[in-house]
Amino acid sequence: MNELESYITSFWNITGTDLQQVASFFQPQTIQKGDFYLKPGKICNSLSFLRSGLMRVYLIDDNGQEITQWIADKGGFITDLAGMLFNDASRCYIQALTDCDCYTLNRTDYNALEKTVPKWHQLEKLFIARCFIFMEQRVFSLLSMSAEDRYKWLFNYNPSLFNEVPLQYLASMMGMSPETLSRIRKRISS
């Protein structure tokens, strides 16, 4: 079982022929550092599993400020669900922060899975529910946690990000200024 199959199994809890069929639709893809997976106004036509590397999802607000929504890393999926599922134009950028190796499923193959894998609708529903739950948790943390608690949550969730991602992106993702992040890091490390 390769890493894609292992991740599909752990995420969607499928095995056997269904697993092999789902995995067979994903194709290897390399995205170079700095290249865009998606830009605003474009429709996302793919869903990718990151084998390695980091991708940043961000918006530019009305004041020209970049607001990082998320940093995806090894073992995570990257897409714009509104585009992938509803054909809506994206509002965000998705950019490779490092060279990235992915397994990518295009929209045509994604839609073909419902004919190939009998329980695909159940699997898709589970995938979307997990995405929604994770987003709910992030929104709750931004609204209810202090800046220090948000830092601790992200550090506990993925400490390697703090060595691999520019701190201004992490600060933005946590809803704080880079200066606030620096003060929190200094306070916690002393």
Side-chain angles (χ1 to χ4, degrees):
M1 182 180 300
N2 67 32
E3 62 192 328
L4 175 63
E5 290 172 339
S6 295
Y7 193 72
I8 290 171
T9 298
S10 69
F11 197 85
W12 282 311
N13 196 28
I14 60 172
T15 57
T17 304
D18 286 344
L19 170 63
Q20 292 170 350
Q21 288 177 329
V22 170
S24 73
F25 281 94
F26 284 84
Q27 299 301 314
Q29 179 184 16
T30 300
I31 301 169
Q32 300 298 312
K33 178 181 179 177
D35 286 352
F36 286 91
Y37 182 86
L38 183 64
K39 288 185 176 181
K42 302 292 182 189
I43 296 171
C44 188
N45 292 309
S46 58
L47 167 72
S48 295
F49 167 76
L50 285 172
R51 291 182 62 216
S52 66
L54 298 164
M55 290 189 146
R56 178 170 77 121
V57 180
Y58 69 97
L59 302 165
I60 298 179
D61 70 12
D62 293 338
N63 298 320
Q65 298 291 322
E66 292 183 5
I67 301 170
T68 301
Q69 291 182 321
W70 189 245
I71 306 288
D73 65 337
K74 178 182 177 178
F77 281 101
I78 193 82
T79 193
D80 179 76
L81 280 177
M84 188 69 177
L85 300 178
F86 302 110
N87 214 33
D88 291 344
S90 179
R91 298 178 352 198
C92 66
Y93 293 88
I94 301 177
Q95 184 178 29
L97 293 177
T98 63
D99 290 343
C100 297
D101 288 319
C102 308
Y103 289 114
T104 298
L105 175 66
N106 67 46
R107 180 199 310 269
T108 302
D109 289 341
Y110 180 88
N111 291 332
L113 281 169
E114 69 183 66
K115 294 180 179 115
T116 308
V117 179
K119 61 181 182 179
W120 178 247
H121 286 295
Q122 294 170 322
L123 300 172
E124 180 184 45
K125 184 177 174 181
L126 177 63
F127 174 72
I128 293 168
R130 286 185 182 203
C131 292
F132 184 75
I133 289 167
F134 188 76
M135 289 302 293
E136 271 187 330
Q137 291 170 339
R138 288 218 38 242
V139 168
F140 177 75
S141 71
L142 283 173
L143 294 175
S144 66
M145 291 181 180
S146 68
E148 187 169 318
D149 288 340
R150 290 191 303 268
Y151 169 84
K152 288 176 182 176
W153 177 85
L154 184 60
F155 189 82
N156 288 331
Y157 177 76
N158 194 342
S160 66
L161 288 180
F162 289 84
N163 295 323
E164 300 171 357
V165 175
L167 292 180
Q168 74 262 21
Y169 298 161
L170 295 176
S172 174
M173 188 170 74
M174 291 184 284
M176 63 182 76
S177 70
E179 295 79 18
T180 299
L181 176 56
S182 292
R183 282 194 300 274
I184 290 169
R185 288 182 62 158
K186 185 176 180 183
R187 184 170 51 244
I188 288 175
S189 65
S190 49

